[in-house]
């Protein structure tokens, strides 16, 4: 349905004209809308319920392994998740401190309601951005007559028609959602919120394939009814930088006063309750048909699939500063309410726990992500972008990462500029997007550091180095912030060089330092950089023998240390990245007729024709395309270029 | 382009073979193995890097790791862009034996000249503008034909079992890696079954296996596991004559290993390009002599271990002696040779041949070493057996073997590094990255993609989630 047809419907009216319409105000939608508005485009952001904007309906935390890196990347691009999270965190930790800098991952517990309120205010104060509570039921697009379409706007339940040059859909778990709690099945979004009806059918009408996934969330209990004395306490840490680089550069730390989390283990009774009631589990009785994630199984799933594990760990996390609600991480279930009560009461310290919200599973519609380009624009409907769970991902951070990519590219589309692609060597965001659009997914996709092949390079501390130039280029990073960024990396570079050319003799003082690090004195003079490469020798440790050391901020010292310590490995990784980029840069024309390329195997021909990869690099990651097929493709591309140049 | 090499003369046995290498710095890399003895310009003090374009030299190809001579060769240098690929190239003309070719390729790989991908020379030539654009289609066909041939070979029984072994080792490595990754991905989960020691042991085990596979396949399966040919027959059937002839037939590589505990002579040689061990046995006949009986027993054991049995029959041997001694020999391995054909035929020859046919023996021949009549039949028997056993032609083994061995060596080197990292206490992030890189190498043989497999392994082994 195009705009003209929509306006002919009874009671339909033209409610507004925008550059970009963003549907859904979760973590993806908020980033997308903010990015478009900040790029100077007239933007409208729709939400089903204004009070649940940027909701954290599952665990009340942001960050963690791989996810913490994504939050930093979003911030480095000029996004907002990190900034709002810094304002709302009640506990901060750096995970994996002992496991090497590449996997250091910041994670924070959020004050859930504050996060929603602060995000709402942030967006309300954003220029060029209108926020509207409304139920979008249709995508409007004109037919190109060749099986493709062009997005022109959206229409709401009340027949309000909004024209838009680009549309970004971030429908989260809301499209045709239903929640399941044992025998109780509700047509509802998460937290009892209204669901989205009709939009999925509208997308399907443009021949966009629709899939269905499932996820779940655990019970919430009242802290006053919990005996924390039997639980292991997990305190927050203070020696952690904030999420936002801007806050870090301004010297802001994390709050002095933080709220603890707790952990307990399930008991034999928990297991017994679950197995006794397995016949009432909708997961096993076949009521739930959507595909659930393996990394986020319900507790009954864990007991069934890992039979030899007799107990599982449960984390008890606060939901905020102004509430007693606690979240039981690791205890998600779709068993009936009465079973849930007995399960919770079987846990140490929770014997008398008062349940405030039940656990439930939720099923929702999404689109087939392999129908997207790496810009997150649909290959079928131009000007339509999608981000977050609608693309098959899971997680707030994964949503935000896609949101900012979709927002930037919707903006670029309206501006008539080339799309901005973040590749696998530039960030976890690049890995996430590439995996989704190239390989697709058959379960909600969670980011893991193991998915990134250039992990040593994709660190939380250098996310700005990787992505702030991109953010500046597209107009999301101010000149002022960019200049500060340039100064930071100038300082890093000159300090690295200084350490490389500053030599120290084998003095007693040095020996003392080295012995304390379990190392030995070198026979002759040695550079500070060389010393730093030794395991267990830190930058800080060398201060007494390095009197000419300049005054540098902590983040700079840390990055200098990592760069030097890992120099050899980083160089190897850079070599690999260079090779990777070479193939990524070999573009494949979108009108390539694979049936005309001799030498391609049939399977490769079919897959390539269906996926229409944008580069040779992307083609090489499609399953069923062999290295020989890639060679053939390279030769073909050379031949159509009409000349050899290497 | 990083340099690559391949055998460029066709499959199978030939008098000489040509190995080509192309890429940036190829002469410098190869110069470590090629010691110039004399150039066409009659210089004797030249290095490979001193050769001008199109200049050839007589050179000794050595293994720089132990300075052992592999072959004397002729090497020609082509200076880019005036070469087939448009890059610097060298061509090495060596002797045609399987072992020599394989050793030269292995040494080149170790010097950083990797095995070529299917069709890579042609592809490189095309990309460097050395071929006409209209030839693009032909090039693409070459690549796909080459790769399907390689695929066919890699799916053969021999390669299949190699792949299986590697894949099992990979499983172990994925297990080790997933333990490390589990600690990284879910740091708060108190659920890591292996301690560092177990992980180290797993890596160590895989490294050892990769090493031994690389050794056996890098030097060629048939170098370490030579084809065994047992020579049997009644006393005076001409065994010694034949052995002496075979010893003289072989070139410099021949070494004779004097009698072992079994009191038998073994001659290592290369015949028709196939490395062979000929085993001389005592004459077999019914006997009461205790010592001779022992020799007969040993001869029968040698026959049962051999890939090929040459059973010799002299003109004077009777039908009865043949039937009584041929009993128990595996017919499919048996080739029967009527010796001394210059003296005359065995009177029972037709009868014997018929009897053999009934037993399923299909190879018989008459030769005379003295008159040098039909002696090359031995080579043909050897070659037939070799190809039947391997199911591969010689060039596939060389190409695949070299590539696989190189990948395994590279993977093993990375595993050593990973072990070093664990022992030095450097971050597990680096260790994991190095192990992944090893799996990238072995994955090129088994076709397993690390990022996919790793996530699968983590999910299947650990119970994780919120």
């Amino acid at each position: 349905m195009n705009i003209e047809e929509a306006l002919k419907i009874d009671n339909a009216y033209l409610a507004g004209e925008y550059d970009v319409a963003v549907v859904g105000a979760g973590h993806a939608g908020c980033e997308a809308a903010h990015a478009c508005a900040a790029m100077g485009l007239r933007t409208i952001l729709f939400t089903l319920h204004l009070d649940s904007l940027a909701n954290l309906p599952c665990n009340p935390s942001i960050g963690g392994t791989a996810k913490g890196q994504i939050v930093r990347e979003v911030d480095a691009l000029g996004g907002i998740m990190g900034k709002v999270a810094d304002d709302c965190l009640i506990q901060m930790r750096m995970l994996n401190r002992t496991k090497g800098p590449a996997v250091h991952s910041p994670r924070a517990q959020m004050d859930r309601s504050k996060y929603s309120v602060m995000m709402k205010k942030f967006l309300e104060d954003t220029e060029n951005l209108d926020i509207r509570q409304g139920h979008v039921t249709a995508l409007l697009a004109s037919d190109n007559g060749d099986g493709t379409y062009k997005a022109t706007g959206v229409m709401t339940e009340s027949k309000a028609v909004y024209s838009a040059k680009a549309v970004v859909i971030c429908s989260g778990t809301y499209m045709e959602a239903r929640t399941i709690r044992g025998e109780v099945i509700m047509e509802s979004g998460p937290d009892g919120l209204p669901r989205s009806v009709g939009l999925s059918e509208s997308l399907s009408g443009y021949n966009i394939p629709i899939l269905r996934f499932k996820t779940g969330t655990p019970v919430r209990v009242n802290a006053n009814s919990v005996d924390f004395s039997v639980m292991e306490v997990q305190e927050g840490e203070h020696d952690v930088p904030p999420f936002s680089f801007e806050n870090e550069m301004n010297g802001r730390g994390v709050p002095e006063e933080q709220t603890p989390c707790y952990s307990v283990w399930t008991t034999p009774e928990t297991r017994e309750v679950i197995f006794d009631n397995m016949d009432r589990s909708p997961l096993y009785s076949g009521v739930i048909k959507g595909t659930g994630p393996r990394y986020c199984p319900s507790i009954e799933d864990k007991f069934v699939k890992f039979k030899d594990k007799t107990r599982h760990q449960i984390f008890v996390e606060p939901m905020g500063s102004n509430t007693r609600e606690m979240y039981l991480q690791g205890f998600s279930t779709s068993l009936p309410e009465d079973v849930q009560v007995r399960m919770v009461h079987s846990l140490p310290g929770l014997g008398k726990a008062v349940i405030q919200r039940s656990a439930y599973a939720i099923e929702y519609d999404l689109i087939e992500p392999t129908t997207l380009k790496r810009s997150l624009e649909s290959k079928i409907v131009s000007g339509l972008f999608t981000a977050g769970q609608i693309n098959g991902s899971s997680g707030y951070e994964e949503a935000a990462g896609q949101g900012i990519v979709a927002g930037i590219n919707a903006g670029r589309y309206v501006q008539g500029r080339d799309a901005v692609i973040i590749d696998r060597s530039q960030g976890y965001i690049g890995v996430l997007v590439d995996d989704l659009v190239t390989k697709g997914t058959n379960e909600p996709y969670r980011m893991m550091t193991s998915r990134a092949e250039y992990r040593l390079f994709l660190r939380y501390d250098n996310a700005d180095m990787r992505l702030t130039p991109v953010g500046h280029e597209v107009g999301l990073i101010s000149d002022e912030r960019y200049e500060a960024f340039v100064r930071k990396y100038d300082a890093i570079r000159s300090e690295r060089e200084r350490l490389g050319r500053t030599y120290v003799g084998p003095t007693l003082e040095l020996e003392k330092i080295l012995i304390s690090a379990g190392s030995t004195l070198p026979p002759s003079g040695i550079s500070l950089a060389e010393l730093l490469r030794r395991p267990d020798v830190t930058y800080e440790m060398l201060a007494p023998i390095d009197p000419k050391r300049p005054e540098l901020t902590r983040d700079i010292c840390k990055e200098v240390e990592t760069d030097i310590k890992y120099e050899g490995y980083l160089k190897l990784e850079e070599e690999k990245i260079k090779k990777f980029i070479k193939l990524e840069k070999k573009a494949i024309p979108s009108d390539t007729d694979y049936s005309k390329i001799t030498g391609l195997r049939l399977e490769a021909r079919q897959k390539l024709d269906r996926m229409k990869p944008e580069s040779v690099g992307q083609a090489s990651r499609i399953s069923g395309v062999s290295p020989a097929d890639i060679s053939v493709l390279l030769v073909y591309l050379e031949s159509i270029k009409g000349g050899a140049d290497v | 382009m990083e340099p690559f090499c391949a055998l460029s003369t066709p499959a199978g046995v030939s008098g000489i073979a040509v190995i080509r290498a192309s890429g940036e710095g190829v002469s410098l890399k190869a110069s470590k193995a090629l010691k110039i003895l004399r150039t066409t310009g009659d210089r004797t003090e030249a290095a490979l890097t001193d050769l001008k374009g199109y200049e050839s030299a007589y050179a000794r190809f050595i293994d720089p790791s132990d300075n052992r001579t592999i072959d004397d060769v002729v090497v020609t240098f082509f200076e880019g862009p005036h070469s087939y690929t448009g890059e610097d190239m060298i061509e090495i003309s060596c002797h045609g034996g399987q072992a020599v070719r394989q050793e030269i390729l292995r040494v080149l790989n170790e010097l950083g000249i990797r095995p070529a991908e299917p069709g890579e020379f042609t592809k490189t030539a095309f990309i460097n503008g050395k071929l006409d654009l209209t030839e693009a289609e032909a090039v693409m066909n070459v690549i796909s034909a080459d790769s399907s041939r390689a695929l066919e070979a890699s799916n053969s029984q021999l390669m299949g079992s190699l792949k299986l072994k590697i894949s099992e080792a990979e499983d172990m490595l994925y297990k080790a890696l997933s333990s490390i990754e589990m600690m990284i991905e879910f740091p708060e989960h108190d659920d890591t079954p292996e301690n560092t020691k177990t992980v180290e042991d797993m890596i160590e085990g895989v490294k050892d296996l990769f090493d031994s596979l690389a050794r056996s396949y890098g030097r060629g399966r048939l170098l370490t596991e030579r084809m065994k040919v047992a020579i049997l027959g009644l006393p005076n059937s001409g065994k010694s004559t034949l052995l002496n002839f075979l010893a003289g037939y072989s070139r410099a590589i021949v070494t004779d290993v004097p009698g072992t505990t079994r009191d038998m002579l073994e001659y290592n040689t290369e015949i028709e390009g196939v490395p062979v061990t000929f085993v001389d046995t005592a004459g077999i006949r019914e006997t009461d002599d205790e010592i001779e009986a022992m020799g007969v027993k040993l001869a029968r054991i040698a026959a049962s271990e051999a890939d090929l049995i040459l059973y010799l029959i002299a003109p004077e041997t009777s039908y009865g002696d043949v039937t009584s001694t041929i009993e128990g020999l595996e017919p499919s391995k048996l080739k029967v040779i009527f010796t001394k054909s210059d003296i005359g035929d065995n009177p029972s020859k037709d009868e014997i041949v018929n009897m053999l046919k009934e037993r399923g023996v299909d190879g018989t021949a008459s030769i005379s070493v003295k008159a040098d009549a039909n002696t090359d039949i031995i080579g043909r028997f050897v070659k037939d057996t070799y190809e039947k056993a391997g199911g591969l032609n010689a060039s596939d083994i060389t190409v695949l073997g070299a590539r696989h061995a190189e990948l395994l060596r590279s993977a093993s080197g990375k595993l050593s590094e990973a072990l070093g990292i664990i022992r030095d206490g450097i971050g597990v992030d680096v260790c994991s990255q190095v192990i992944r890189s090893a799996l990238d190498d072995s994955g090129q043989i088994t076709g397993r993609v690390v990022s996919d497999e790793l996530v699968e392994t983590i999910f299947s082994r650990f119970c994780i989630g919120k």
Side-chain angles (χ1 to χ4, degrees):
Chain A
M1 185 165 42
N2 61 30
I3 292 251
E4 293 72 33
E5 288 165 337
L7 285 172
K8 281 184 197 141
I9 297 173
D10 284 352
N11 302 326
Y13 74 107
L14 186 62
E17 290 172 291
Y18 288 89
D19 291 321
V20 184
V22 179
V23 181
H27 305 284
C30 289
E31 292 294 346
H34 171 263
C36 291
M39 286 166 80
L41 303 165
R42 259 182 65 69
T43 308
I44 184 164
L45 171 63
F46 293 97
T47 172
L48 284 168
H49 203 295
L50 257 181
D51 296 332
S52 62
L53 184 142
N55 192 12
L56 303 158
C58 202
N59 55 332
S61 74
I62 284 179
T65 48
K67 292 163 172 269
Q69 282 90 326
I70 295 180
V71 180
R72 295 278 280 190
E73 288 175 5
V74 169
D75 186 79
L77 283 166
I80 50 181
M81 178 176 247
K83 284 202 183 83
V84 178
D86 283 343
D87 288 343
C88 304
L89 61 90
I90 55 174
Q91 190 203 77
M92 187 81 169
R93 300 183 66 208
M94 181 64 84
L95 306 180
N96 284 335
R97 270 184 202 275
T98 59
K99 292 166 194 160
V103 292
H104 287 184
S105 308
R107 194 193 61 193
Q109 296 296 325
M110 288 296 126
D111 183 320
R112 178 188 173 186
S113 54
K114 187 177 176 189
Y115 190 85
S116 173
V117 170
M118 296 294 276
M119 182 62 87
K120 177 160 167 267
K121 180 155 169 292
F122 194 105
L123 294 177
E124 285 165 343
D125 288 341
T126 300
E127 244 180 279
N128 304 321
L129 178 60
D130 294 344
I131 306 178
R132 185 74 169 90
Q133 179 163 312
H135 180 184
V136 172
T137 51
L139 167 73
L140 304 178
S142 55
D143 193 337
N144 293 336
D146 59 354
T148 65
Y149 303 86
K150 184 173 184 292
T152 54
V154 296
M155 183 171 68
T156 68
E157 189 177 42
S158 44
K159 308 291 176 259
V161 172
Y162 295 83
S163 80
K165 293 169 187 150
V167 175
V168 185
I169 300 181
C170 312
S171 55
T173 58
Y174 285 80
M175 278 203 305
E176 310 299 327
R178 53 174 207 163
T179 58
I180 301 120
R181 193 171 6 116
E183 296 86 7
V184 183
I185 297 168
M186 308 240 304
E187 297 194 331
S188 136
D191 276 341
L193 287 161
R195 65 177 189 158
S196 153
V197 179
L199 185 57
S200 165
E201 198 185 326
S202 167
L203 294 175
S204 176
Y206 298 108
N207 296 321
I208 295 173
I210 303 292
L211 312 173
R212 198 156 175 85
F213 278 176
K214 169 245 149 182
T215 186
T217 193
V219 298
R220 313 315 196 254
V221 298
N222 186 324
N224 292 337
S225 64
V226 177
D227 177 9
F228 293 107
S229 67
V230 300
M231 298 185 181
E232 204 172 305
V233 186
Q234 192 182 64
E235 297 284 357
E237 299 166 354
H238 297 101
D239 177 26
V240 186
F243 280 119
S244 167
F245 283 100
E246 221 163 347
N247 287 337
E248 185 176 26
M249 282 197 263
N250 294 334
R252 186 170 142 181
V254 293
E256 206 45 52
E257 200 168 313
Q258 299 189 17
T259 318
C261 294
Y262 304 87
S263 73
V264 289
W265 291 89
T266 58
T267 60
E269 195 193 336
T270 320
R271 185 188 159 94
E272 210 181 294
V273 172
I274 290 172
F275 277 103
D276 283 353
N277 291 281
M278 207 52 104
D279 55 327
R280 294 177 68 196
S281 161
L283 268 182
Y284 290 91
S285 64
V287 170
I288 293 182
K289 292 187 183 70
T291 316
R294 281 172 301 176
Y295 51 82
C296 181
S298 59
I299 187 75
E300 55 266 33
D301 248 5
K302 292 187 195 177
F303 276 113
V304 170
K305 291 192 180 142
F306 293 88
K307 287 221 160 59
D308 51 334
K309 279 207 65 168
T310 52
R311 58 178 207 161
H312 296 274
Q313 202 175 11
I314 309 296
F315 294 90
V316 185
E317 303 174 356
M319 299 277 287
S321 306
N322 296 308
T323 176
R324 300 285 171 231
E325 237 182 309
M326 301 292 284
Y327 173 93
L328 299 189
Q329 195 213 125
F331 214 56
S332 136
T333 180
S334 53
L335 282 162
E337 228 169 63
D338 57 311
V339 184
Q340 289 184 19
V341 175
R342 282 156 59 202
M343 282 160 62
V344 170
H345 287 172
S346 74
L347 298 173
L350 288 150
K352 296 197 170 79
V354 173
I355 294 178
Q356 291 187 279
R357 301 184 209 219
S358 294
Y360 59 85
I362 184 165
E363 279 188 333
Y364 55 97
D365 277 1
L366 62 143
I367 63 151
E368 168 59 59
T370 56
T371 60
L372 299 173
K373 301 178 192 171
R374 288 173 303 166
S375 59
L376 295 181
E377 184 184 5
S378 167
K379 293 175 197 165
I380 302 167
V381 182
S382 64
L384 171 66
F385 296 79
T386 52
Q389 277 161 311
I390 188 172
N391 291 344
S393 66
S394 98
Y396 314 138
E397 304 81 358
E398 287 88 339
Q402 291 170 68
I404 196 163
V405 170
I408 288 172
N409 284 321
R412 304 279 289 184
Y413 173 86
V414 173
Q415 291 169 338
R417 294 197 171 131
D418 285 345
V420 169
I421 308 295
I422 296 169
D423 71 39
R424 300 180 74 90
S425 70
Q426 281 175 294
Y428 278 95
I429 294 177
V431 176
L432 165 68
V433 170
D434 185 66
D435 275 353
L436 286 172
V437 309
T438 310
K439 296 178 181 166
T441 179
N442 48 22
E443 66 177 340
Y445 177 102
R446 179 210 207 266
M447 199 61 219
M448 296 165 76
T449 68
S450 332
R451 297 193 196 265
E453 48 278 74
Y454 311 116
R455 186 161 75 182
L456 294 182
F457 187 61
L458 306 187
R459 304 191 309 267
Y460 87 95
D461 63 341
N462 69 1
D464 54 346
M465 182 184 82
R466 295 182 273 120
L467 294 169
T468 292
V470 178
H472 183 243
E473 157 82 28
V474 299
L476 291 181
I477 297 284
S478 67
D479 288 343
E480 192 193 346
R481 180 170 164 187
Y482 184 70
E483 278 154 22
F485 155 80
V486 170
R487 280 197 302 275
K488 174 181 163 187
Y489 279 90
D490 281 347
I492 289 174
R493 198 171 318 114
S494 61
E495 178 61 356
R496 278 178 58 178
E497 282 164 14
R498 191 188 69 82
L499 292 171
R501 56 165 199 266
T502 306
Y503 280 78
V504 290
T507 59
L508 264 173
E509 200 177 4
L510 176 60
E511 187 170 26
K512 234 167 69 189
I513 294 171
L514 291 177
I515 286 172
S516 72
S519 195
T520 53
L521 198 63
S524 59
I526 185 169
S527 75
L528 291 172
E530 206 54 55
L531 283 173
L532 207 44
R533 269 186 210 112
R534 297 185 172 193
D536 298 325
V537 175
T538 66
Y539 182 74
E540 211 181 314
M541 229 178 245
L542 298 176
I545 53 158
D546 186 16
K548 289 197 180 131
R549 176 175 290 193
E551 194 74 40
L552 294 169
T553 54
R554 204 185 52 171
D555 54 326
I556 292 180
C557 299
K558 201 83 208 138
E559 210 162 323
V560 165
E561 182 182 289
T562 306
D563 281 350
I564 291 179
K565 252 191 179 357
Y566 285 71
E567 199 177 3
Y569 297 105
L570 287 169
K571 274 210 178 112
L572 286 178
E573 201 133 304
E574 268 166 40
E575 287 302 312
K576 280 189 190 167
I577 290 175
K578 266 189 214 152
K579 278 190 192 168
F580 158 82
I581 287 176
K582 225 170 131 187
L583 285 184
E584 288 305 294
K585 287 223 166 111
K586 288 227 185 286
I588 304 176
S590 57
D591 58 355
T592 298
D593 182 355
Y594 292 100
S595 67
K596 294 238 166 67
I597 304 179
T598 50
L600 280 184
R601 289 167 317 112
L602 184 65
E603 186 191 4
R605 197 173 291 176
Q606 287 169 343
K607 287 258 173 73
L608 289 167
D609 190 49
R610 191 158 54 80
M611 298 286 298
K612 301 201 180 2
E614 295 160 71
S615 72
V616 176
Q618 199 190 0
S620 71
R621 291 188 293 277
I622 297 173
S623 73
V625 176
S626 73
D629 295 320
I630 293 301
S631 291
V632 169
L633 201 54
L634 281 171
V635 172
Y636 169 78
L637 291 173
E638 287 298 324
S639 75
I640 57 165
K641 218 163 62 181
D645 79 39
V646 161
Chain B
M1 281 287 283
E2 53 180 15
F4 52 87
C5 63
L7 175 69
S8 67
T9 35
V13 174
S14 58
I16 63 161
V18 176
I19 287 164
R20 284 195 298 186
S22 169
E24 205 178 308
V26 69
S27 330
L28 185 63
K29 286 197 152 99
S31 64
K32 294 191 184 74
L34 277 158
K35 300 297 159 203
I36 305 291
L37 302 173
R38 196 167 60 247
T39 68
T40 40
D42 255 348
R43 284 174 292 164
T44 51
E45 292 289 305
L48 183 60
T49 45
D50 297 335
L51 296 188
K52 297 184 193 62
Y54 304 123
E55 192 181 357
S56 298
Y58 177 56
R60 178 151 295 162
F61 196 102
I62 60 160
D63 182 344
S65 65
D66 55 8
N67 286 326
R68 186 171 49 90
T69 298
I70 292 171
D71 196 11
D72 283 352
V73 302
V74 172
V75 58
T76 310
F77 175 62
F78 299 87
E79 191 172 9
H82 306 294
S83 70
Y84 176 69
T85 58
E87 301 171 331
D88 279 3
M89 280 183 78
I90 55 167
E91 275 186 15
I92 301 168
S93 305
C94 60
H95 291 99
Q98 168 82 7
V100 167
R101 291 183 302 205
Q102 217 159 313
E103 283 285 274
I104 290 179
L105 285 170
R106 178 185 65 80
V107 169
L108 290 176
N109 294 162
E110 277 173 7
L111 294 174
I113 303 173
R114 64 169 170 80
E117 291 159 16
E120 194 165 15
F121 283 95
T122 317
K123 186 179 108 186
T124 309
F126 175 78
I127 287 174
N128 287 338
K130 300 298 288 186
L131 296 176
D132 198 290
L133 278 177
T134 54
E135 287 174 282
E137 198 159 300
V139 175
M140 290 188 272
N141 281 327
V142 166
I143 294 171
S144 64
D146 271 15
S147 70
S148 66
R149 200 165 53 80
L151 184 71
E152 223 169 82
S154 79
N155 285 337
S156 72
Q157 217 180 347
L158 177 63
M159 286 304 163
S161 67
L162 168 67
K163 272 207 274 191
L164 191 70
K165 259 190 204 160
I166 297 171
S167 200
E168 280 167 9
E170 279 183 332
D171 286 344
M172 178 76 84
L173 211 46
Y174 275 114
K175 209 173 157 193
L177 188 54
S178 71
S179 294
I180 296 176
E181 291 296 317
M182 182 65 200
M183 293 187 258
I184 292 174
E185 300 289 351
F186 303 95
E188 287 161 333
H189 272 257
D190 212 350
D191 183 24
T192 317
E194 283 92 17
N195 57 31
T196 328
K197 184 80 188 76
T198 328
V199 169
E200 265 184 69
D201 287 348
M202 286 196 262
I203 298 172
E204 190 94 56
V206 173
K207 188 190 124 48
D208 288 348
L209 181 75
F210 280 1
D211 277 344
S212 75
L213 286 175
R215 259 198 310 276
S216 72
Y217 282 86
R219 285 186 180 270
R221 181 185 77 104
L222 294 158
L223 255 192
T224 46
E225 301 165 38
R226 296 172 153 272
M227 180 191 289
K228 272 202 161 177
V229 181
I231 301 178
L232 265 69
L234 289 154
N236 298 322
S237 58
K239 297 192 297 297
S240 313
T241 318
L242 181 63
L243 267 167
N244 287 338
F245 168 76
L246 289 169
Y249 168 99
S250 53
R251 291 194 316 268
I253 311 173
V254 175
T255 55
D256 61 345
V257 180
T260 57
T261 49
R262 296 186 175 182
D263 208 22
M264 282 182 292
L265 281 179
E266 289 191 355
Y267 290 90
N268 285 343
T269 183
E270 185 168 310
I271 190 161
E272 292 289 337
V274 180
V276 173
T277 300
F278 283 106
V279 186
D280 188 11
T281 65
I284 42 171
R285 61 173 166 192
E286 300 298 315
T287 174
D288 295 333
D289 182 300
E290 210 172 294
I291 292 169
E292 201 181 342
M294 181 68 86
V296 171
K297 200 176 166 200
L298 288 174
R300 289 201 174 272
I301 291 173
S304 71
E305 285 175 353
D307 300 297
L308 173 65
I309 305 163
L310 298 178
Y311 185 92
L312 308 192
I313 301 174
E316 62 273 16
T317 311
S318 73
Y319 178 81
D321 279 345
V322 173
T323 47
S324 67
T325 54
I326 209 160
E327 200 66 52
L329 299 178
E330 170 62 38
S332 65
K333 295 199 291 195
L334 193 58
K335 304 286 176 193
V336 174
I337 295 167
F338 293 95
T339 54
K340 307 178 194 175
S341 64
D342 53 310
I343 296 174
D345 272 352
N346 185 307
S348 319
K349 185 177 173 185
D350 289 346
E351 209 180 338
I352 293 173
V353 169
N354 281 335
M355 179 269 294
L356 288 169
K357 268 193 189 138
E358 272 167 37
R359 290 173 184 249
V361 178
D362 66 350
T364 55
S366 298
I367 68 167
S368 163
V369 172
K370 201 169 166 193
D372 197 12
N374 204 23
T375 46
D376 53 358
I377 189 72
I378 306 288
R380 227 166 45 233
F381 283 153
V382 165
K383 202 179 152 203
D384 285 353
T385 308
Y386 170 72
E387 285 179 358
K388 217 163 74 190
L392 283 174
N393 70 41
S395 110
D396 286 336
I397 289 195
T398 311
V399 174
L400 281 168
R403 196 175 92 86
H404 288 178
E406 176 57 24
L407 288 167
L408 289 172
R409 266 193 294 276
S410 166
S412 158
K414 285 167 189 164
L415 293 180
S416 301
E417 199 182 333
L419 288 167
I421 292 168
I422 294 179
R423 281 161 201 160
D424 288 351
I426 304 173
V428 289
D429 51 349
V430 176
C431 176
S432 153
Q433 214 59 1
V434 174
I435 298 175
R436 283 182 79 125
S437 180
L439 280 164
D440 274 334
D441 290 336
S442 63
Q444 287 187 49
I445 304 171
T446 55
R448 295 168 74 169
V449 179
V450 181
S451 50
D452 302 351
E453 295 268 348
L454 180 55
V455 171
E456 285 296 320
T457 314
I458 294 175
F459 285 147
S460 63
R461 290 195 62 215
F462 300 103
C463 177
I464 45 182
K466 56 186 176 186

